[in-house]
Amino acid sequence: MRTNRRNRHYGARRLPRLLYALLTCALLTGCGSLQPRINVSELPANRQAEDGEVELTMWLYGSSGLETLVERYELLHPHVKVNLIHSTYEDVHNNLQTAFASGYGAPDVCLIEISFMERFKQFPDYFQNLADFGASDLGTQYLPWKWKQATNADGSFVYGLPTDIGPVAVIYRPELFAAAGLPTERNALAKRIATWDDFLAVGQRIRSETGKPMIDQIKTLYRMVLFQADVQYFDPHTGELVIESNPAVREAWNTAVRASELGLSAYETSWSPEWARGISDGAFATILSPSWMLNDIKLNAPGAQGAWDVTYLPGGSGNWGGSFLTIPDMSSKKTEAYELIRWLTDPKQQLALYSSLNNFPSTPLIYEDPAIRDKMDPFFRHAPVGRIFSDAAKNVRPTYEGAKQHVVTQIMEAALDKVEEREATPEEAWDEAMTLIHKQLQLEPWEKGEIPE
């Protein structure tokens, strides 16, 4: 597998082919246009760099927590100034595609989320191979499944350095379990909901005894069951769409649909005002939550302190989210960019982010650090969240998220919304989703790194 960096001059033939591919992708993901949508007011003021000073541009989305680390890095390296540009989750990825297509405008460092990683990994020529800086030696520092997501098949090309991960646990309302005559102690409850069938059966009992649903929404339940499968929508070896022949997808779908049919879902969208009130009021019994969502729960429902606890996920483990810091090949300051991302993803910095934001580290060597091993969260009844989420992280089964994962996920979850809203029967929603997926993916030209004419 080649590891050389591509020439900066885009050939007349190569650029139109890439533009075609990226334009199609933009239409599929709903951006509609490949014009950059960065808010001009958010751009740093232009200025002349001082003698010996290095300026880096870094694109971020969401609440990564990296901002505070960057400030610390600048203090430790006064000759480095990092211009942070924030956009939405969708726009960061779409803007990066725009920069690649136009041949200019890419940042020195870009944060890429796992759902988009395989899409970008099809174009190694547009990224700096971090193996050139010795990044291959860092592989043992990270969880094996996470490092695999960051590299090509044989590990010779390192696209990015992993930041956090999203191991999942069950956040539960003990008072509702007690009212239904069910265990409320963490380990006892984990045994009672060891499988997803157990989980739904417990949900039925809570519904019968308290009138409250088991979960906030079925889309999250669908994700959790699917995340535990070795294969999801695409064959990891061929990239072929296998959604209809893969029983794991049907199992996840049927589990979510059954929860809806049994009245076990409150149908409250995560992060909505209704969801926040539901957490405060105990309107549902559980939240299937990655580590990073703990802070969201606290911020959205501060009055719920002490009302929720944490235990292990049914069916084993799962992971929701996680990102990578990459260096586009257009950067003219690759060495300085690599020094920055190497520092940002070091276990010490990951530990600092976990301590402040619950962004769980992708570096298992620090899981026995007291800051993780002994961490108990008073908001969640002093649950040993460090131990629970580190156990979950170590037990995540490697899964493959294909280059078109984001497109399929959006369609499947929209179909589940129709089921919850009773706008379609489960089979109607499934059939419509399959039709739409096939239609859109036929328009999608990216296949195993080949850019179409």
Side-chain angles (χ1 to χ4, degrees), residues 187-346:
N187 292 328
L189 180 57
K191 292 179 181 178
R192 187 64 179 266
I193 57 171
T195 69
W196 289 111
D197 285 340
D198 295 338
F199 183 81
L200 295 185
V202 165
Q204 287 180 274
R205 182 162 174 173
I206 289 176
R207 183 73 179 182
S208 173
E209 297 296 326
T210 71
K212 299 294 181 68
M214 183 67 164
I215 57 176
D216 49 359
Q217 59 181 341
I218 65 171
K219 287 189 296 190
T220 304
L221 175 60
Y222 170 78
R223 279 180 178 246
M224 295 306 108
V225 179
L226 187 59
F227 285 163
Q228 294 177 339
D230 295 325
V231 177
Q232 298 181 19
Y233 302 131
F234 300 95
D235 185 290
H237 304 294
T238 66
E240 179 185 0
L241 182 69
V242 294
I243 187 169
E244 292 177 274
S245 60
N246 182 11
V249 179
R250 263 296 187 177
E251 179 185 357
W253 175 273
N254 291 340
T255 301
V257 166
R258 188 178 172 211
S260 179
E261 292 174 339
L262 292 172
L264 305 186
S265 171
Y267 192 33
E268 301 293 2
T269 302
S270 300
W271 303 288
S272 68
E274 295 78 14
W275 181 74
R277 284 195 294 270
I279 295 172
S280 296
D281 301 339
F284 36 83
T286 66
I287 307 167
L288 305 177
S289 170
S291 176
W292 49 262
M293 192 182 282
L294 297 187
N295 270 33
D296 293 336
I297 293 172
K298 295 176 185 180
L299 290 172
N300 280 276
Q305 180 167 349
W308 295 82
D309 209 326
V310 186
T311 191
Y312 293 94
L313 193 72
S317 187
N319 181 77
W320 180 1
S323 302
F324 305 83
L325 287 172
T326 66
I327 301 175
D329 190 62
M330 291 183 203
S331 172
S332 61
K333 293 157 279 191
K334 297 184 180 70
T335 298
E336 294 84 356
Y338 181 75
E339 290 172 354
L340 171 64
I341 68 173
R342 176 70 185 88
W343 188 88
L344 291 174
T345 55
D346 184 85

Side-chain angles (χ1 to χ4, degrees), residues 47 49-50 52-56 78-82 333 336-337:
R47 64 182 180 83
E50 300 176 5
E53 184 178 282
V54 174
E55 280 198 58
L56 299 173
H79 67 290
V80 177
K81 301 299 177 185
V82 183
K333 293 157 279 191
E336 294 84 356

